[in-house]
Amino acid sequence: MMASLLKLSFSPIRNQLLIPKQLKIVTSLNYTRNLPLKPFNSTSPLPEFADHPTVRNHDDLYKFSIEKPDLFWSKLAISRLLWDKEFDRVQKCDFKTGEINWFVGGKLNVSVNCVDRHAKSNPNKIALIWEKDEPGQQERITYQELYHMVNQMGNMLLQHNVSKGDRVAIYMPKCPVAVTAMLACARIGAVHCVVFAGFSDEALAGRIQDAQVNTVITADQGVRGGKILELKKIVDAAVSKCPSVKQVFVYKRTGGDVPMGKIDIPLEKALSEVSKPYCKPQEMDSEDPLFMLYTSGSTGSPKGLVHTQAGYLLYTTVTHKHVFDYQMDDIFGCVADIGWITGHSYVVYGPLSNGGTTLLFESTPTYPNPGRYWEVVERLKLTHIYLAPTALRLLIKMGDSWVHNYDKSSLRVLGSVGEPLNHEAWEWYYKNVGEQRCDIVDTWWQTETGGILISPRPSNSKAEIFPAMPMRPFYGIEPCLVDKENNELKGDNKEGLLCIKQPWPGMCRTIYGGKSRFVDTYFKSDKGLYFSGDNAIRYEHGFYRITGRVDDVINVSGHRLGTAEIEDAIANHCAVAESAVVSFPHDIKGEGIYAFVVLKDDITENAEEIQDELKLIVKKQITSFAQPDIIQLVPGLPRTRSGKIMRRILRKIAHKEQDFGDTSTLVDPDIVETIIKRQQMN
């Protein structure tokens, strides 16, 4: 039976809206000229370069992509994407001015690339698997069903005067309706701004105001970890401060009783009033905005990063396919929320552009118990799981028995995204989850980059993967290290600020309303480099290890120490679940080292003994002056709902300051007071 948007609702009127069982998939695009997505043989080039005389293996292809980037990316763009009008020029970029343009003159539609072409060629293939918060409950949406849902949503938005270029805020649970809203915006040329459905009303209002949003799509409530999230009430509080918002569409996720005001429109009712089954896709210029996504700035003011159409889509398509060795029968399980760039690139756009099956995981890794991820792997036969080190460390703390209770034989590739994956977590992941047979793809990238820049794969056949480092730059990515005067550091075994020498299609184009801030942040010298803000070490063979943010470097008696390196050493203690290291003022050293350490639940060892052992581990693995001056054992760390540790708060605690700013985005704001009380007791 053909899916409808109401099918995904718990509303008692769920069957009121019916989509015809057979609808012709309307398109004027040619679906036959794209190269097939052949399995990637790591000893051979990409299919587009199979006959190239100088490209025989991965190393040859990487060299070719650096030396001839225009030819490399143009071949991929023509073969991997469907164009209404092919581009006139591959790129027009200048890192010195921050001007980034790819596939100049080209026109396409992202929703057609992600939905229509696969609905035509493989209509009954599963596009989305919605793993609901309720354990064991899932729904599957085929490409044909998704096609009709996107057309219906697109027409609904048009009927309510949402036009090309309008900003639409999406504040929803991770569900098919949210993905449909993203793709419908792409279809009609509106710019979606997805905000993680866990931010406070103040945080949501700030993003709505900055983006000048006129339409919001939300749900009555969310469900996460067995708890009800009052999304509509949060939106009401936010919208009351945002006069630009003219309408709010409310999806019935739970059927809970929520207030409906003058500008509120039940989403199901609005969709039921759509008469046309087909929404003609807007022909979009390659550099038209696709979406805005907000990320934290060093000043505390969120940055609305703008990603555009063709370059972003191509880069997510290619990286999803080849970093993860994605095959057409795989079931890709990225558990990130769509409110973050990982969800955009590797839940929605990358997998769907490749015609894949992608997971929408609505719950948490510990609900109803710490075996939830592995139960999902067993039940849905996931071939990939892509998650954050924070989640891994949390599960390590819960013990090994949970992961061993389930069949994980379907898994081929394990992914990690976010902060650097420490050695202990890497080993646990490899042995307990991957059963010593799955590659671990530890990826480095940023919201700004759009997609993965450094990862162990692709690489030549059986090439080694080393723990706790992303290792190899992706095709077309030329990293370098610079010192604090922005001079390039040549050779192996060097540590410095990680920069990228030449542009790539997936990078963001600007900060909305802040072009000068964009240039000052990412292109701040005349060297013609992209500044990542991360420190890294380059080892032999050009392998990279990320050591932390530039502002996560501590200068102890003139010695520069990366906090990530100290945290990595601390994590090797068998009693430690996770840690966070910051600096604090020291009368003699200039800066001292303050370590906040979370122990595993079953630890009975004396606290003083553990603290002494941790100092010895750090001394042994790094050096004597890297030993923490203060080690505070804490029950948890202040983190956002995305799992990011709020280090600025820990720095203020270490500095014994009182003004912590807005803590409303923390999962548990009370943890701050708990840490302070324990600090005062010591």
Side-chain angles (χ1 to χ4, degrees):
M1 181 177 179
M2 194 63 63
S4 71
L5 290 175
L6 266 181
K7 173 185 174 184
L8 309 177
S9 172
F10 293 104
S11 165
I13 58 169
R14 57 186 288 164
N15 296 315
Q16 195 176 70
L17 176 60
L18 298 176
I19 298 178
K21 291 184 178 180
Q22 297 296 328
L23 272 178
K24 183 179 180 182
I25 297 173
V26 182
T27 180
S28 59
L29 290 172
N30 180 355
Y31 285 87
T32 62
R33 64 183 179 86
N34 272 42
L35 288 177
L37 289 172
K38 300 176 182 177
F40 176 66
N41 182 342
S42 60
T43 62
S44 306
L46 275 61
E48 291 87 347
F49 302 91
D51 298 326
H52 197 283
T54 66
V55 177
R56 297 172 298 278
N57 54 41
H58 167 78
D59 292 340
D60 290 342
L61 183 57
Y62 175 74
K63 181 180 179 182
F64 180 89
S65 72
I66 297 300
E67 294 177 348
K68 298 182 179 180
D70 283 17
L71 182 55
F72 176 80
W73 290 115
S74 64
K75 275 183 171 287
L76 292 177
I78 291 170
S79 66
R80 303 291 176 103
L81 302 183
L82 290 169
W83 298 85
D84 293 312
K85 176 183 178 296
E86 289 188 5
F87 44 92
D88 305 314
R89 181 175 178 177
V90 180
Q91 62 164 302
K92 184 181 179 182
C93 303
D94 185 353
F95 272 3
K96 292 183 179 180
T97 63
E99 291 296 327
I100 313 295
N101 298 275
W102 279 88
F103 310 118
V104 179
K107 297 183 183 298
L108 48 58
N109 186 276
V110 167
S111 78
V112 170
N113 276 271
C114 290
V115 182
D116 296 40
R117 58 173 170 168
H118 308 305
K120 184 179 179 72
S121 63
N122 202 358
N124 295 320
K125 179 172 183 178
I126 301 300
L128 308 175
I129 300 178
W130 180 22
E131 172 68 18
K132 301 178 185 180
D133 187 68
E134 297 81 6
Q137 294 190 25
Q138 72 276 330
E139 291 193 17
R140 292 172 169 83
I141 310 297
T142 68
Y143 272 97
Q144 187 174 41
E145 291 169 339
L146 183 59
Y147 169 83
H148 294 308
M149 292 161 64
V150 171
N151 277 270
Q152 185 184 35
M153 182 79 81
N155 278 327
M156 185 276 292
L157 292 173
L158 289 174
Q159 286 181 193
H160 286 82
N161 301 313
V162 178
S163 304
K164 178 181 178 181
D166 286 348
R167 272 77 63 202
V168 176
I170 300 172
Y171 187 78
M172 296 189 72
K174 189 179 177 185
C175 63
V177 177
V179 174
T180 300
M182 295 169 69
L183 293 166
C185 287
R187 193 169 194 85
I188 68 174
V191 181
H192 65 70
C193 177
V194 183
V195 180
F196 174 62
F199 275 123
S200 67
D201 60 282
E202 289 188 9
L204 176 60
R207 287 155 173 77
I208 289 174
Q209 291 165 349
D210 186 78
Q212 299 173 297
V213 164
N214 58 27
T215 298
V216 177
I217 304 176
T218 188
D220 52 1
Q221 296 171 319
V223 189
R224 186 170 171 83
K227 299 178 181 178
I228 296 294
L229 308 175
E230 297 293 348
L231 302 187
K232 176 58 166 55
K233 292 180 181 179
I234 293 171
V235 168
D236 287 345
V239 168
S240 68
K241 310 164 192 171
C242 303
S244 65
V245 176
K246 306 303 180 186
Q247 54 193 357
V248 177
F249 295 100
V250 184
Y251 163 58
K252 194 169 287 189
R253 168 62 178 91
T254 67
D257 184 21
V258 297
M260 297 291 285
K262 291 183 179 180
I263 65 171
D264 298 331
I265 304 169
L267 181 61
E268 290 82 357
K269 181 177 183 296
L271 290 166
S272 69
E273 295 169 352
V274 173
S275 58
K276 295 191 301 181
Y278 176 65
C279 177
K280 183 178 179 181
Q282 180 76 236
E283 188 179 272
M284 303 297 291
D285 185 87
S286 63
E287 284 300 316
D288 282 336
L290 173 62
F291 66 85
M292 293 169 56
L293 196 57
Y294 282 83
T295 186
S296 298
S298 58
T299 62
S301 174
K303 300 171 291 191
L305 298 172
V306 178
H307 281 280
T308 55
Q309 308 275 332
Y312 170 80
L313 183 63
L314 177 67
Y315 197 74
T316 56
T317 301
V318 175
T319 51
H320 172 257
K321 168 64 181 169
H322 298 294
V323 167
F324 299 103
D325 187 30
Y326 183 81
Q327 309 298 327
M328 292 309 294
D329 292 331
D330 287 343
I331 301 176
F332 193 79
C334 176
V335 295
D337 194 273
I338 58 170
W340 313 110
I341 189 63
T342 305
H344 280 54
S345 298
Y346 300 113
V347 173
V348 181
Y349 289 113
L352 294 180
S353 180
N354 280 322
T357 299
T358 185
L359 175 72
L360 303 178
F361 183 77
E362 187 181 33
S363 192
T364 72
T366 57
Y367 179 74
N369 58 56
R372 181 65 185 273
Y373 278 168
W374 324 125
E375 188 275 331
V376 170
V377 168
E378 178 182 274
R379 175 163 39 87
L380 300 182
K381 306 301 180 188
L382 298 184
T383 55
H384 298 68
I385 189 164
Y386 191 31
L387 44 72
T390 298
L392 277 181
R393 289 193 288 266
L394 175 64
L395 296 173
I396 291 171
K397 183 180 178 183
M398 301 294 181
D400 296 351
S401 61
W402 291 106
V403 72
H404 294 312
N405 286 341
Y406 300 97
D407 178 8
K408 303 174 296 300
S409 60
S410 61
L411 286 172
R412 285 199 304 110
V413 179
L414 311 179
S416 173
V417 58
E419 69 270 26
L421 185 62
N422 59 286
H423 277 80
E424 186 191 23
W426 194 99
E427 294 289 350
W428 188 89
Y429 203 15
Y430 182 68
K431 292 177 181 178
N432 292 283
V433 181
E435 298 167 338
Q436 302 188 62
R437 57 181 174 75
C438 299
D439 280 352
I440 293 184
V441 179
D442 187 0
T443 61
W444 176 80
W445 57 299
Q446 302 170 316
T447 305
E448 294 87 341
T449 71
I452 295 163
L453 266 59
I454 305 178
S455 68
R457 297 285 188 259
S459 57
N460 286 328
S461 179
K462 298 182 180 179
E464 284 186 284
I465 294 179
F466 298 119
M469 63 171 74
M471 298 181 67
R472 302 175 177 93
F474 190 71
Y475 301 122
I477 304 302
E478 187 177 8
C480 67
L481 300 177
V482 301
D483 60 21
K484 59 184 178 181
E485 282 79 35
N486 298 330
N487 298 311
E488 185 175 353
L489 301 170
K490 302 284 189 178
D492 296 332
N493 300 312
K494 301 291 184 181
E495 181 171 9
L497 177 63
L498 180 60
C499 299
I500 310 297
K501 285 188 172 183
Q502 62 185 29
W504 64 97
M507 63 189 308
C508 70
R509 300 308 195 250
T510 191
I511 295 173
Y512 183 73
K515 182 67 175 181
S516 61
R517 184 184 180 190
F518 177 68
V519 175
D520 292 343
T521 302
Y522 304 108
F523 310 98
K524 57 185 177 182
S525 81
D526 59 357
K527 304 289 186 179
L529 301 172
Y530 168 82
F531 285 75
S532 72
D534 281 345
N535 263 346
I537 299 173
R538 183 175 55 240
Y539 297 103
E540 280 188 89
H541 310 296
F543 294 161
Y544 286 84
R545 179 186 176 214
I546 311 303
T547 58
R549 295 291 297 171
V550 175
D551 53 7
D552 288 336
V553 172
I554 302 174
N555 195 322
V556 179
S557 301
H559 301 286
R560 290 168 57 83
L561 298 168
T563 57
E565 190 174 14
I566 301 171
E567 291 166 3
D568 197 30
I570 291 173
N572 285 320
H573 193 290
C574 62
V576 173
E578 64 177 337
S579 67
V581 171
V582 298
S583 66
F584 72 99
H586 193 284
D587 291 340
I588 297 174
K589 303 177 183 179
E591 286 186 314
I593 301 172
Y594 199 123
F596 297 87
V597 177
V598 181
L599 300 181
K600 296 177 182 176
D601 289 341
D602 56 351
I603 300 304
T604 58
E605 192 176 354
N606 179 273
E608 289 185 3
E609 291 178 359
I610 291 176
Q611 290 167 332
D612 290 340
E613 289 166 4
L614 291 175
K615 289 183 178 182
L616 288 174
I617 287 174
V618 174
K619 179 181 179 179
K620 183 178 179 180
Q621 294 196 9
I622 307 175
T623 182
S624 59
F625 58 77
Q627 295 178 97
D629 299 276
I630 300 173
I631 297 177
Q632 182 179 345
L633 303 182
V634 295
L637 298 171
R639 60 177 76 249
T640 66
R641 291 174 175 85
S642 67
K644 181 179 179 181
I645 297 171
M646 294 293 284
R647 295 175 187 274
R648 66 171 179 82
I649 292 177
L650 293 177
R651 289 191 192 95
K652 287 181 178 292
I653 294 173
H655 288 223
K656 297 187 177 179
E657 297 177 9
Q658 299 298 319
D659 181 14
F660 300 110
D662 181 16
T663 60
S664 64
T665 60
L666 296 179
V667 173
D668 179 16
D670 293 337
I671 194 65
V672 177
E673 185 177 349
T674 301
I675 294 173
I676 293 172
K677 286 181 178 179
R678 292 202 177 188
Q679 181 191 52
Q680 293 170 346
M681 292 170 59
N682 293 336

